[in-house]
Amino acid sequence: MILSYFLELLYPAKCVFCGSLLAKEETEICSLCRKELPYCEKKVKQVSFSRSTTAVFYYENQVR
């Protein structure tokens, strides 16, 4: 408990995309990035060497 408190002081949680400090209720991605990231909402073109693919984001902007 005490160790985790000191680790949070030394290494605060940051957004994986923009590097800003996260609020208590946020995990891994800040609320601003969640709104602006290029979510992949339609079917992605299938490639010949796999049966299926999954993508959450398009590979552009902060995701790149």
Side-chain angles (χ1 to χ4, degrees):
M1 184 90 153
I2 294 174
L3 179 60
S4 63
Y5 173 77
F6 284 115
L7 287 175
E8 286 182 30
L9 284 175
L10 293 173
Y11 305 105
K14 294 183 180 180
C15 176
V16 295
F17 292 106
C18 70
S20 66
L21 294 177
L22 296 176
K24 285 270 188 205
E25 66 277 354
E26 297 173 332
T27 57
E28 298 168 1
I29 304 173
C30 70
S31 57
L32 182 61
C33 285
R34 282 190 192 276
K35 292 177 191 172
E36 295 182 0
L37 286 172
Y39 286 94
C40 185
E41 296 175 1
K42 59 184 177 180
K43 188 176 180 179
V44 179
K45 186 174 101 175
Q46 189 169 351
V47 291
S48 61
F49 56 85
S50 72
R51 289 186 176 192
S52 65
T53 56
T54 303
V56 177
F57 304 113
Y58 286 109
Y59 188 65
E60 58 190 35
N61 302 333
Q62 299 109 308
V63 177
R64 187 172 217 170

